[in-house]
Amino acid sequence: EVHLVQSGAEVKKPGESLKISCKASGYNFNTYWIGWVRQMPGKGLEWMDIIYPGDSDTRYNPPFQGQVTISADKSITTAYLHWSSLQASDSAMYYCARCSGSGNSCYYFDHWGQGTLVTVSS
Amino acid sequence: DIQMTQSPSTLSASVGDRVTITCQASQDITNYLNWYQQKPGRPPKLLIFHASNLETGVPSRFSGSGSGTLFTFTISSLQPEDIATYYCHQFDNLPFTFGQGTKLEI
């Protein structure tokens, strides 16, 4: 059974760095894209980025390019989302999700983590 | 970016009703569209992929149709547990984009 387990809620100050994680199990981590989706309080879903752990190929949604970094550690089947300098506007719920499709394509997010709430406040 | 416009934004219905949500894409996305359900405090759940394919384990009262720029999501007989927000999602082109959501109320 596929499971994505995310790290716990974080409270940070503006300017601090942060890395949240998503531990995957129950499938071949190397052969599925995995990505992050942001949901700001009371708002809709925004796709941020995806990574193919097999070769570390990455794709970013332009508003998030340069603001966050997606990475993956194949040895522990874990994906990460990293901020080098948080802003108050980064306060949101962040979901990781496995992306499936034909071959090694990314078409639909079929399994989701439980979410990590990030609060950035001085 | 491809814009996805859902309507309505909010929908009030009764148990047993047939419910329909529409999603319009700003350009032709063939059938590269998915539908998700999100209940309060929960992550989204995939219901329909490639416009009309029911995800494993999803009740058959949920269905999707459409192609090109206009897509429809239908609940044939609304159940109390269907209270949620529903999102469409296009994967024809990067960046992936979601509709703004349709909040379903009973």
Side-chain angles (χ1 to χ4, degrees), chain A residues 14 50 86 88:
Chain A
I50 48 174
L86 286 160

Side-chain angles (χ1 to χ4, degrees), chain B residues 60-95:
Chain B
S60 60
R61 64 180 180 275
F62 296 101
S63 65
S65 65
S67 66
T69 62
L70 192 60
F71 301 85
T72 299
F73 171 82
T74 300
I75 307 174
S76 60
S77 179
L78 186 67
Q79 300 302 302
E81 61 266 31
D82 299 336
I83 295 310
T85 300
Y86 294 84
Y87 295 93
C88 61
H89 157 229
Q90 70 80 21
F91 58 96
D92 181 64
N93 272 332
L94 292 181

Side-chain angles (χ1 to χ4, degrees), chain A residues 37-41 43-46 92-95, chain B residues 38 87:
Chain A
V37 173
R38 184 177 79 173
Q39 188 166 38
M40 300 183 78
K43 302 298 184 182
L45 305 173
E46 300 173 272
M93 181 70 81
Y94 293 87
Y95 294 103
Chain B
Q38 187 179 30
Y87 295 93

